[in-house]
Amino acid sequence: LHDALPIYSLDYFGMETAIEKIHGEDPIWKLRQAALLVELGRFGEGTRLIATAYGELRENHRRDFYSIPILSRLMWAHLLLNAAYRASTNQSPEELPEFVESNYRKWRCDPWIWIEDIRTKANTKQESHFKDQNPIEPLFEQGHYRDKSSDRSYSNEASEYLLLEGLSREVGIPLYSGDAVVQTSLLAGAAEKLVLSAGAIDELRNYTLAIRAASSDSSSSIKNVFTRIGVACASKDVVEVLFDRILVAIDYWRKQRSHGTMDQQKYALSPLRVLMEVLARLVVRVSSTKAKLAFRLAISIGHQSETQHFWLFSAINSLLTHSLNSIPKSEQSELLADTLAFPLPSELIGGNSSH
């Protein structure tokens, strides 16, 4: 069931379809719809939907001052709206009604309590994971150490991940909020800490969350999860599934870079460089046929005028290098024509290389 949800399988085409099917009288459905819009880089639409939900919840609260469910939803909408406004220079923070301001903490409807709880749990899990990875503690006396391997703590391995996933799904909180240029981390930092401590339920979910939590190809969740050893230890089936999903995801963002909304055209560079870097790291585990596919994909991206941007140069180079090294030398001659067609620096469209 989890993998059937498009947001958890990097199925951006599926997310677009899912958005149209989200309906409900409760304004919370608008927040859930907005979360998917943000995931697709449609920040302006998402912000407008959150603002509409917030207005409806204010009206609902005006009619029923003492409803805790309404107050709780109102506070979540207020948090999400101000997080979206924070990235905009022409929007001031939304002020809460006086009654709400004076009662939401007393009635335990402060959304930051939940977010801080997840962040604290993620920090604790990461610290515990690092401690378990290094059970030998050197002592001051030369040649002496303390073996703390028997002190390892055991807990419900998936509890923090399920809390993060549940809050994101039920309330409609994206990992990031903001606009196409400036994003504010809501749950991305906690997600990154969880994946660095292998906190998801299984390999595929951990890798997928690492990708979604990354803002660039140099993010910690990419560099420290998709390491050479990490990729080598990954199960073959997981690598194959993730590789195929990333190919489709790259196709989606290439289309948005060319023909998406203005927000999507600007934002597409971020997911593209993340996805291309992960693909470059996974290509060492796939067949030569798929490695050739990855190599030709990098060539094609280099040809596309909209993706001739300096943000993508490193990821394109990484994908070209690792995919070529994964192809037997006896088969590399098949790629000669593709290689010769790759644009030289002097052939790049100057206007598209810097914005």
Side-chain angles (χ1 to χ4, degrees):
L1 177 61
H2 179 283
D3 287 337
L5 300 173
I7 196 170
Y8 300 118
S9 56
L10 303 177
D11 181 7
Y12 297 99
F13 290 106
M15 286 184 220
E16 288 199 336
T17 302
I19 286 172
E20 304 304 322
K21 297 178 180 178
I22 297 177
H23 300 289
E25 294 183 6
D26 193 322
I28 197 71
W29 288 102
K30 290 183 174 66
L31 299 184
R32 293 168 181 165
Q33 195 175 22
L36 286 183
L37 287 169
V38 170
E39 196 85 18
L40 294 175
R42 292 159 63 179
F43 297 101
E45 295 173 70
T47 299
R48 288 191 290 274
L49 206 55
I50 294 169
T52 300
Y54 179 72
E56 292 176 2
L57 286 164
R58 281 194 63 159
E59 180 61 21
N60 292 347
H61 176 71
R62 188 184 66 79
R63 295 173 181 173
D64 188 351
F65 272 87
Y66 298 98
S67 170
I68 291 179
I70 291 175
L71 179 60
S72 176
R73 285 168 169 78
L74 178 64
M75 291 307 303
W76 280 111
H78 178 263
L79 180 150
L80 291 170
L81 187 59
N82 279 345
Y85 283 172
R86 219 171 279 134
S88 177
T89 57
N90 59 357
Q91 293 282 5
S92 56
E94 185 70 31
E95 297 293 333
L96 286 169
E98 184 177 345
F99 183 85
V100 175
E101 184 68 54
S102 59
N103 286 288
Y104 77 90
R105 291 188 181 90
K106 181 171 61 178
W107 291 0
R108 298 185 178 182
C109 293
D110 185 355
W112 282 109
I113 292 176
W114 289 88
I115 292 178
E116 291 303 326
D117 182 55
I118 291 179
R119 289 174 176 175
T120 300
K121 283 182 167 64
N123 276 329
T124 302
K125 186 171 186 65
Q126 187 180 39
E127 290 170 3
S128 176
H129 176 75
F130 286 159
K131 189 182 297 181
D132 289 346
Q133 295 296 104
N134 300 281
I136 304 302
E137 177 187 351
L139 299 179
F140 182 76
E141 293 80 5
Q142 186 176 2
H144 291 261
Y145 65 91
R146 180 181 291 115
D147 185 353
K148 302 175 70 175
S149 56
S150 60
D151 298 340
R152 292 186 178 184
S153 57
Y154 297 93
S155 62
N156 185 345
E157 291 294 326
S159 61
E160 298 87 355
Y161 172 80
L162 292 174
L163 181 60
L164 182 144
E165 180 194 292
L167 190 61
S168 177
R169 184 181 63 246
E170 295 301 319
V171 179
I173 303 181
L175 296 183
Y176 288 97
S177 182
D179 60 21
V181 179
V182 179
Q183 284 98 48
T184 301
S185 171
L186 292 175
L187 296 176
E192 185 176 85
K193 286 181 171 61
L194 288 180
V195 298
L196 291 176
S197 53
I201 294 174
D202 55 45
E203 270 186 304
L204 188 55
R205 297 186 197 192
N206 208 63
Y207 290 146
T208 302
L209 185 58
I211 292 170
R212 292 181 56 225
S215 58
S216 76
D217 50 339
S218 59
S219 294
S220 293
S221 61
I222 302 302
K223 292 192 301 182
N224 298 326
V225 171
F226 295 97
T227 62
R228 182 171 292 276
I229 293 176
V231 171
C233 292
S235 68
K236 184 67 173 175
D237 289 343
V238 166
V239 170
E240 293 286 344
V241 168
L242 192 58
F243 188 92
D244 291 341
R245 287 179 178 179
I246 289 175
L247 287 177
V248 178
I250 288 175
D251 181 49
Y252 175 85
W253 287 111
R254 290 182 69 186
K255 285 182 170 66
Q256 304 320 306
R257 177 64 177 163
S258 301
H259 307 296
T261 66
M262 288 301 295
D263 276 346
Q264 287 179 311
Q265 289 180 36
K266 294 177 184 177
Y267 176 68
L269 294 170
S270 291
L272 274 173
R273 59 179 174 169
V274 169
L275 292 164
M276 284 170 18
E277 179 60 32
V278 175
L279 195 70
R281 294 173 180 236
L282 294 177
V283 75
V284 299
R285 290 286 312 279
V286 298
S287 66
S288 62
T289 300
K290 285 192 172 182
K292 293 172 192 174
L293 184 63
F295 183 85
R296 291 188 170 109
L297 173 63
I299 295 287
S300 177
I301 292 172
H303 270 292
Q304 184 179 342
S305 61
E306 295 85 1
T307 52
Q308 292 173 354
H309 191 284
F310 69 92
W311 275 17
L312 300 183
F313 291 169
S314 176
I316 292 174
N317 180 64
S318 182
L319 186 54
L320 283 171
T321 301
H322 292 301
S323 58
L324 185 61
N325 289 339
S326 302
I327 300 168
K329 290 187 177 181
S330 59
E331 299 177 24
Q332 289 182 3
S333 58
E334 300 173 24
L335 305 170
L336 180 59
D338 300 282
T339 304
L340 293 175
F342 191 75
L344 298 172
S346 59
E347 297 173 322
L348 295 177
I349 299 176
N352 287 329
S353 62
S354 59
H355 61 265

PDB file of all heavy atoms in Angstrom, residues 208-240:
ATOM      1  N   THR A 208      14.477   6.292  -0.874  1.00  0.00           N
ATOM      2  CA  THR A 208      13.525   7.241  -1.439  1.00  0.00           C
ATOM      3  C   THR A 208      13.421   8.496  -0.579  1.00  0.00           C
ATOM      4  O   THR A 208      13.411   9.623  -1.091  1.00  0.00           O
ATOM      5  CB  THR A 208      12.135   6.587  -1.582  1.00  0.00           C
ATOM      6  OG1 THR A 208      12.241   5.427  -2.411  1.00  0.00           O
ATOM      7  CG2 THR A 208      11.137   7.552  -2.202  1.00  0.00           C
ATOM      8  N   LEU A 209      13.369   8.311   0.739  1.00  0.00           N
ATOM      9  CA  LEU A 209      13.298   9.460   1.642  1.00  0.00           C
ATOM     10  C   LEU A 209      14.585  10.281   1.570  1.00  0.00           C
ATOM     11  O   LEU A 209      14.553  11.515   1.650  1.00  0.00           O
ATOM     12  CB  LEU A 209      13.050   8.994   3.077  1.00  0.00           C
ATOM     13  CG  LEU A 209      12.821  10.098   4.124  1.00  0.00           C
ATOM     14  CD1 LEU A 209      11.628  10.973   3.738  1.00  0.00           C
ATOM     15  CD2 LEU A 209      12.617   9.503   5.512  1.00  0.00           C
ATOM     16  N   ALA A 210      15.726   9.616   1.393  1.00  0.00           N
ATOM     17  CA  ALA A 210      17.005  10.332   1.250  1.00  0.00           C
ATOM     18  C   ALA A 210      16.973  11.251   0.035  1.00  0.00           C
ATOM     19  O   ALA A 210      17.453  12.384   0.081  1.00  0.00           O
ATOM     20  CB  ALA A 210      18.153   9.328   1.124  1.00  0.00           C
ATOM     21  N   ILE A 211      16.393  10.777  -1.052  1.00  0.00           N
ATOM     22  CA  ILE A 211      16.289  11.585  -2.273  1.00  0.00           C
ATOM     23  C   ILE A 211      15.351  12.762  -2.047  1.00  0.00           C
ATOM     24  O   ILE A 211      15.652  13.909  -2.406  1.00  0.00           O
ATOM     25  CB  ILE A 211      15.799  10.719  -3.447  1.00  0.00           C
ATOM     26  CG1 ILE A 211      16.873   9.690  -3.818  1.00  0.00           C
ATOM     27  CG2 ILE A 211      15.441  11.580  -4.665  1.00  0.00           C
ATOM     28  CD1 ILE A 211      16.408   8.621  -4.792  1.00  0.00           C
ATOM     29  N   ARG A 212      14.202  12.506  -1.433  1.00  0.00           N
ATOM     30  CA  ARG A 212      13.215  13.572  -1.220  1.00  0.00           C
ATOM     31  C   ARG A 212      13.724  14.620  -0.228  1.00  0.00           C
ATOM     32  O   ARG A 212      13.347  15.796  -0.317  1.00  0.00           O
ATOM     33  CB  ARG A 212      11.900  12.977  -0.713  1.00  0.00           C
ATOM     34  CG  ARG A 212      11.165  12.122  -1.740  1.00  0.00           C
ATOM     35  CD  ARG A 212       9.856  11.582  -1.180  1.00  0.00           C
ATOM     36  NE  ARG A 212       9.012  12.659  -0.707  1.00  0.00           N
ATOM     37  CZ  ARG A 212       8.361  12.623   0.469  1.00  0.00           C
ATOM     38  NH1 ARG A 212       8.480  11.582   1.276  1.00  0.00           N
ATOM     39  NH2 ARG A 212       7.608  13.647   0.832  1.00  0.00           N
ATOM     40  N   ALA A 213      14.593  14.221   0.705  1.00  0.00           N
ATOM     41  CA  ALA A 213      15.104  15.160   1.711  1.00  0.00           C
ATOM     42  C   ALA A 213      16.243  16.015   1.176  1.00  0.00           C
ATOM     43  O   ALA A 213      16.581  17.035   1.778  1.00  0.00           O
ATOM     44  CB  ALA A 213      15.580  14.391   2.947  1.00  0.00           C
ATOM     45  N   ALA A 214      16.826  15.625   0.046  1.00  0.00           N
ATOM     46  CA  ALA A 214      17.990  16.338  -0.493  1.00  0.00           C
ATOM     47  C   ALA A 214      17.572  17.578  -1.268  1.00  0.00           C
ATOM     48  O   ALA A 214      16.593  17.555  -2.012  1.00  0.00           O
ATOM     49  CB  ALA A 214      18.795  15.408  -1.399  1.00  0.00           C
ATOM     50  N   SER A 215      18.330  18.641  -1.097  1.00  0.00           N
ATOM     51  CA  SER A 215      18.066  19.870  -1.846  1.00  0.00           C
ATOM     52  C   SER A 215      19.070  20.059  -2.986  1.00  0.00           C
ATOM     53  O   SER A 215      18.870  20.890  -3.867  1.00  0.00           O
ATOM     54  CB  SER A 215      18.118  21.085  -0.917  1.00  0.00           C
ATOM     55  OG  SER A 215      19.389  21.172  -0.277  1.00  0.00           O
ATOM     56  N   SER A 216      20.149  19.279  -2.975  1.00  0.00           N
ATOM     57  CA  SER A 216      21.141  19.354  -4.046  1.00  0.00           C
ATOM     58  C   SER A 216      21.896  18.044  -4.122  1.00  0.00           C
ATOM     59  O   SER A 216      21.745  17.170  -3.260  1.00  0.00           O
ATOM     60  CB  SER A 216      22.119  20.512  -3.807  1.00  0.00           C
ATOM     61  OG  SER A 216      23.048  20.177  -2.794  1.00  0.00           O
ATOM     62  N   ASP A 217      22.746  17.912  -5.149  1.00  0.00           N
ATOM     63  CA  ASP A 217      23.515  16.679  -5.316  1.00  0.00           C
ATOM     64  C   ASP A 217      24.614  16.534  -4.267  1.00  0.00           C
ATOM     65  O   ASP A 217      25.218  15.469  -4.145  1.00  0.00           O
ATOM     66  CB  ASP A 217      24.121  16.602  -6.723  1.00  0.00           C
ATOM     67  CG  ASP A 217      24.853  17.880  -7.103  1.00  0.00           C
ATOM     68  OD1 ASP A 217      24.580  18.935  -6.513  1.00  0.00           O
ATOM     69  OD2 ASP A 217      25.711  17.825  -8.002  1.00  0.00           O
ATOM     70  N   SER A 218      24.873  17.590  -3.494  1.00  0.00           N
ATOM     71  CA  SER A 218      25.899  17.514  -2.444  1.00  0.00           C
ATOM     72  C   SER A 218      25.297  17.410  -1.045  1.00  0.00           C
ATOM     73  O   SER A 218      26.014  17.514  -0.056  1.00  0.00           O
ATOM     74  CB  SER A 218      26.816  18.741  -2.512  1.00  0.00           C
ATOM     75  OG  SER A 218      26.071  19.937  -2.341  1.00  0.00           O
ATOM     76  N   SER A 219      23.988  17.196  -0.947  1.00  0.00           N
ATOM     77  CA  SER A 219      23.332  17.074   0.358  1.00  0.00           C
ATOM     78  C   SER A 219      23.854  15.850   1.105  1.00  0.00           C
ATOM     79  O   SER A 219      24.233  14.844   0.498  1.00  0.00           O
ATOM     80  CB  SER A 219      21.818  16.960   0.184  1.00  0.00           C
ATOM     81  OG  SER A 219      21.270  18.154  -0.335  1.00  0.00           O
ATOM     82  N   SER A 220      23.842  15.944   2.432  1.00  0.00           N
ATOM     83  CA  SER A 220      24.335  14.839   3.264  1.00  0.00           C
ATOM     84  C   SER A 220      23.571  13.549   3.006  1.00  0.00           C
ATOM     85  O   SER A 220      24.147  12.455   3.047  1.00  0.00           O
ATOM     86  CB  SER A 220      24.222  15.209   4.752  1.00  0.00           C
ATOM     87  OG  SER A 220      25.098  16.258   5.072  1.00  0.00           O
ATOM     88  N   SER A 221      22.271  13.662   2.769  1.00  0.00           N
ATOM     89  CA  SER A 221      21.477  12.451   2.555  1.00  0.00           C
ATOM     90  C   SER A 221      21.862  11.735   1.265  1.00  0.00           C
ATOM     91  O   SER A 221      21.569  10.548   1.110  1.00  0.00           O
ATOM     92  CB  SER A 221      19.980  12.789   2.533  1.00  0.00           C
ATOM     93  OG  SER A 221      19.671  13.673   1.484  1.00  0.00           O
ATOM     94  N   ILE A 222      22.525  12.431   0.342  1.00  0.00           N
ATOM     95  CA  ILE A 222      23.019  11.776  -0.872  1.00  0.00           C
ATOM     96  C   ILE A 222      24.440  11.278  -0.656  1.00  0.00           C
ATOM     97  O   ILE A 222      24.755  10.112  -0.906  1.00  0.00           O
ATOM     98  CB  ILE A 222      22.968  12.756  -2.068  1.00  0.00           C
ATOM     99  CG1 ILE A 222      21.539  13.266  -2.296  1.00  0.00           C
ATOM    100  CG2 ILE A 222      23.501  12.072  -3.327  1.00  0.00           C
ATOM    101  CD1 ILE A 222      20.516  12.197  -2.538  1.00  0.00           C
ATOM    102  N   LYS A 223      25.310  12.161  -0.179  1.00  0.00           N
ATOM    103  CA  LYS A 223      26.725  11.799  -0.018  1.00  0.00           C
ATOM    104  C   LYS A 223      26.930  10.680   0.998  1.00  0.00           C
ATOM    105  O   LYS A 223      27.816   9.840   0.825  1.00  0.00           O
ATOM    106  CB  LYS A 223      27.526  13.025   0.426  1.00  0.00           C
ATOM    107  CG  LYS A 223      27.639  14.123  -0.622  1.00  0.00           C
ATOM    108  CD  LYS A 223      28.664  15.161  -0.225  1.00  0.00           C
ATOM    109  CE  LYS A 223      28.328  15.825   1.111  1.00  0.00           C
ATOM    110  NZ  LYS A 223      29.302  16.874   1.488  1.00  0.00           N
ATOM    111  N   ASN A 224      26.130  10.641   2.059  1.00  0.00           N
ATOM    112  CA  ASN A 224      26.364   9.697   3.144  1.00  0.00           C
ATOM    113  C   ASN A 224      25.463   8.475   3.141  1.00  0.00           C
ATOM    114  O   ASN A 224      25.664   7.552   3.928  1.00  0.00           O
ATOM    115  CB  ASN A 224      26.229  10.417   4.490  1.00  0.00           C
ATOM    116  CG  ASN A 224      27.255  11.527   4.660  1.00  0.00           C
ATOM    117  OD1 ASN A 224      28.378  11.414   4.184  1.00  0.00           O
ATOM    118  ND2 ASN A 224      26.864  12.606   5.301  1.00  0.00           N
ATOM    119  N   VAL A 225      24.463   8.462   2.263  1.00  0.00           N
ATOM    120  CA  VAL A 225      23.610   7.275   2.129  1.00  0.00           C
ATOM    121  C   VAL A 225      24.013   6.478   0.891  1.00  0.00           C
ATOM    122  O   VAL A 225      24.197   5.271   0.944  1.00  0.00           O
ATOM    123  CB  VAL A 225      22.117   7.665   2.069  1.00  0.00           C
ATOM    124  CG1 VAL A 225      21.258   6.446   1.719  1.00  0.00           C
ATOM    125  CG2 VAL A 225      21.667   8.258   3.399  1.00  0.00           C
ATOM    126  N   PHE A 226      24.199   7.192  -0.228  1.00  0.00           N
ATOM    127  CA  PHE A 226      24.580   6.516  -1.472  1.00  0.00           C
ATOM    128  C   PHE A 226      26.100   6.503  -1.617  1.00  0.00           C
ATOM    129  O   PHE A 226      26.659   6.959  -2.620  1.00  0.00           O
ATOM    130  CB  PHE A 226      23.910   7.205  -2.664  1.00  0.00           C
ATOM    131  CG  PHE A 226      22.413   7.095  -2.656  1.00  0.00           C
ATOM    132  CD1 PHE A 226      21.635   8.127  -2.144  1.00  0.00           C
ATOM    133  CD2 PHE A 226      21.777   5.961  -3.135  1.00  0.00           C
ATOM    134  CE1 PHE A 226      20.248   8.035  -2.119  1.00  0.00           C
ATOM    135  CE2 PHE A 226      20.390   5.854  -3.116  1.00  0.00           C
ATOM    136  CZ  PHE A 226      19.626   6.893  -2.602  1.00  0.00           C
ATOM    137  N   THR A 227      26.764   5.988  -0.588  1.00  0.00           N
ATOM    138  CA  THR A 227      28.218   5.843  -0.641  1.00  0.00           C
ATOM    139  C   THR A 227      28.571   4.616  -1.475  1.00  0.00           C
ATOM    140  O   THR A 227      27.703   3.796  -1.800  1.00  0.00           O
ATOM    141  CB  THR A 227      28.782   5.668   0.773  1.00  0.00           C
ATOM    142  OG1 THR A 227      28.226   4.459   1.339  1.00  0.00           O
ATOM    143  CG2 THR A 227      28.429   6.847   1.667  1.00  0.00           C
ATOM    144  N   ARG A 228      29.858   4.481  -1.797  1.00  0.00           N
ATOM    145  CA  ARG A 228      30.281   3.311  -2.570  1.00  0.00           C
ATOM    146  C   ARG A 228      29.959   2.020  -1.820  1.00  0.00           C
ATOM    147  O   ARG A 228      29.438   1.063  -2.406  1.00  0.00           O
ATOM    148  CB  ARG A 228      31.782   3.393  -2.865  1.00  0.00           C
ATOM    149  CG  ARG A 228      32.313   2.240  -3.714  1.00  0.00           C
ATOM    150  CD  ARG A 228      33.735   2.502  -4.140  1.00  0.00           C
ATOM    151  NE  ARG A 228      33.818   3.614  -5.074  1.00  0.00           N
ATOM    152  CZ  ARG A 228      33.614   3.501  -6.385  1.00  0.00           C
ATOM    153  NH1 ARG A 228      33.294   2.328  -6.907  1.00  0.00           N
ATOM    154  NH2 ARG A 228      33.733   4.546  -7.164  1.00  0.00           N
ATOM    155  N   ILE A 229      30.229   2.017  -0.513  1.00  0.00           N
ATOM    156  CA  ILE A 229      29.935   0.823   0.293  1.00  0.00           C
ATOM    157  C   ILE A 229      28.427   0.638   0.423  1.00  0.00           C
ATOM    158  O   ILE A 229      27.906  -0.476   0.330  1.00  0.00           O
ATOM    159  CB  ILE A 229      30.594   0.936   1.681  1.00  0.00           C
ATOM    160  CG1 ILE A 229      32.119   0.896   1.540  1.00  0.00           C
ATOM    161  CG2 ILE A 229      30.115  -0.185   2.596  1.00  0.00           C
ATOM    162  CD1 ILE A 229      32.871   1.090   2.843  1.00  0.00           C
ATOM    163  N   GLY A 230      27.701   1.756   0.644  1.00  0.00           N
ATOM    164  CA  GLY A 230      26.254   1.670   0.788  1.00  0.00           C
ATOM    165  C   GLY A 230      25.584   1.102  -0.446  1.00  0.00           C
ATOM    166  O   GLY A 230      24.704   0.236  -0.352  1.00  0.00           O
ATOM    167  N   VAL A 231      25.991   1.565  -1.616  1.00  0.00           N
ATOM    168  CA  VAL A 231      25.417   1.069  -2.868  1.00  0.00           C
ATOM    169  C   VAL A 231      25.816  -0.390  -3.085  1.00  0.00           C
ATOM    170  O   VAL A 231      25.015  -1.206  -3.538  1.00  0.00           O
ATOM    171  CB  VAL A 231      25.868   1.945  -4.053  1.00  0.00           C
ATOM    172  CG1 VAL A 231      25.472   1.310  -5.387  1.00  0.00           C
ATOM    173  CG2 VAL A 231      25.280   3.344  -3.931  1.00  0.00           C
ATOM    174  N   ALA A 232      27.046  -0.741  -2.732  1.00  0.00           N
ATOM    175  CA  ALA A 232      27.515  -2.127  -2.898  1.00  0.00           C
ATOM    176  C   ALA A 232      26.726  -3.085  -2.014  1.00  0.00           C
ATOM    177  O   ALA A 232      26.505  -4.242  -2.388  1.00  0.00           O
ATOM    178  CB  ALA A 232      28.999  -2.218  -2.576  1.00  0.00           C
ATOM    179  N   CYS A 233      26.286  -2.601  -0.846  1.00  0.00           N
ATOM    180  CA  CYS A 233      25.559  -3.452   0.102  1.00  0.00           C
ATOM    181  C   CYS A 233      24.065  -3.509  -0.192  1.00  0.00           C
ATOM    182  O   CYS A 233      23.364  -4.366   0.358  1.00  0.00           O
ATOM    183  CB  CYS A 233      25.769  -2.949   1.528  1.00  0.00           C
ATOM    184  SG  CYS A 233      27.454  -3.143   2.135  1.00  0.00           S
ATOM    185  N   ALA A 234      23.566  -2.615  -1.017  1.00  0.00           N
ATOM    186  CA  ALA A 234      22.134  -2.586  -1.318  1.00  0.00           C
ATOM    187  C   ALA A 234      21.718  -3.843  -2.071  1.00  0.00           C
ATOM    188  O   ALA A 234      22.485  -4.381  -2.870  1.00  0.00           O
ATOM    189  CB  ALA A 234      21.799  -1.345  -2.143  1.00  0.00           C
ATOM    190  N   SER A 235      20.505  -4.299  -1.806  1.00  0.00           N
ATOM    191  CA  SER A 235      20.033  -5.498  -2.494  1.00  0.00           C
ATOM    192  C   SER A 235      19.835  -5.195  -3.974  1.00  0.00           C
ATOM    193  O   SER A 235      19.489  -4.077  -4.363  1.00  0.00           O
ATOM    194  CB  SER A 235      18.718  -5.986  -1.880  1.00  0.00           C
ATOM    195  OG  SER A 235      17.680  -5.072  -2.154  1.00  0.00           O
ATOM    196  N   LYS A 236      20.053  -6.201  -4.800  1.00  0.00           N
ATOM    197  CA  LYS A 236      19.963  -6.037  -6.257  1.00  0.00           C
ATOM    198  C   LYS A 236      18.571  -5.574  -6.670  1.00  0.00           C
ATOM    199  O   LYS A 236      18.426  -4.697  -7.528  1.00  0.00           O
ATOM    200  CB  LYS A 236      20.305  -7.372  -6.933  1.00  0.00           C
ATOM    201  CG  LYS A 236      20.335  -7.310  -8.453  1.00  0.00           C
ATOM    202  CD  LYS A 236      21.471  -6.459  -8.967  1.00  0.00           C
ATOM    203  CE  LYS A 236      21.591  -6.538 -10.471  1.00  0.00           C
ATOM    204  NZ  LYS A 236      22.619  -5.616 -11.014  1.00  0.00           N
ATOM    205  N   ASP A 237      17.544  -6.160  -6.069  1.00  0.00           N
ATOM    206  CA  ASP A 237      16.172  -5.815  -6.436  1.00  0.00           C
ATOM    207  C   ASP A 237      15.878  -4.346  -6.138  1.00  0.00           C
ATOM    208  O   ASP A 237      15.230  -3.662  -6.931  1.00  0.00           O
ATOM    209  CB  ASP A 237      15.177  -6.705  -5.685  1.00  0.00           C
ATOM    210  CG  ASP A 237      15.193  -8.134  -6.186  1.00  0.00           C
ATOM    211  OD1 ASP A 237      15.714  -8.361  -7.298  1.00  0.00           O
ATOM    212  OD2 ASP A 237      14.684  -9.019  -5.483  1.00  0.00           O
ATOM    213  N   VAL A 238      16.342  -3.862  -4.984  1.00  0.00           N
ATOM    214  CA  VAL A 238      16.106  -2.470  -4.601  1.00  0.00           C
ATOM    215  C   VAL A 238      16.803  -1.531  -5.585  1.00  0.00           C
ATOM    216  O   VAL A 238      16.234  -0.523  -6.019  1.00  0.00           O
ATOM    217  CB  VAL A 238      16.582  -2.199  -3.161  1.00  0.00           C
ATOM    218  CG1 VAL A 238      16.658  -0.704  -2.873  1.00  0.00           C
ATOM    219  CG2 VAL A 238      15.645  -2.871  -2.169  1.00  0.00           C
ATOM    220  N   VAL A 239      18.039  -1.848  -5.956  1.00  0.00           N
ATOM    221  CA  VAL A 239      18.777  -1.021  -6.911  1.00  0.00           C
ATOM    222  C   VAL A 239      18.039  -0.960  -8.246  1.00  0.00           C
ATOM    223  O   VAL A 239      17.895   0.125  -8.846  1.00  0.00           O
ATOM    224  CB  VAL A 239      20.203  -1.569  -7.119  1.00  0.00           C
ATOM    225  CG1 VAL A 239      20.888  -0.861  -8.291  1.00  0.00           C
ATOM    226  CG2 VAL A 239      21.029  -1.388  -5.851  1.00  0.00           C
ATOM    227  N   GLU A 240      17.547  -2.097  -8.717  1.00  0.00           N
ATOM    228  CA  GLU A 240      16.845  -2.138 -10.001  1.00  0.00           C
ATOM    229  C   GLU A 240      15.571  -1.298  -9.965  1.00  0.00           C
ATOM    230  O   GLU A 240      15.297  -0.519 -10.886  1.00  0.00           O
ATOM    231  CB  GLU A 240      16.497  -3.590 -10.364  1.00  0.00           C
ATOM    232  CG  GLU A 240      17.698  -4.478 -10.667  1.00  0.00           C
ATOM    233  CD  GLU A 240      18.315  -4.170 -12.027  1.00  0.00           C
ATOM    234  OE1 GLU A 240      17.663  -3.505 -12.847  1.00  0.00           O
ATOM    235  OE2 GLU A 240      19.459  -4.605 -12.263  1.00  0.00           O
TER     236      GLU A 240
END
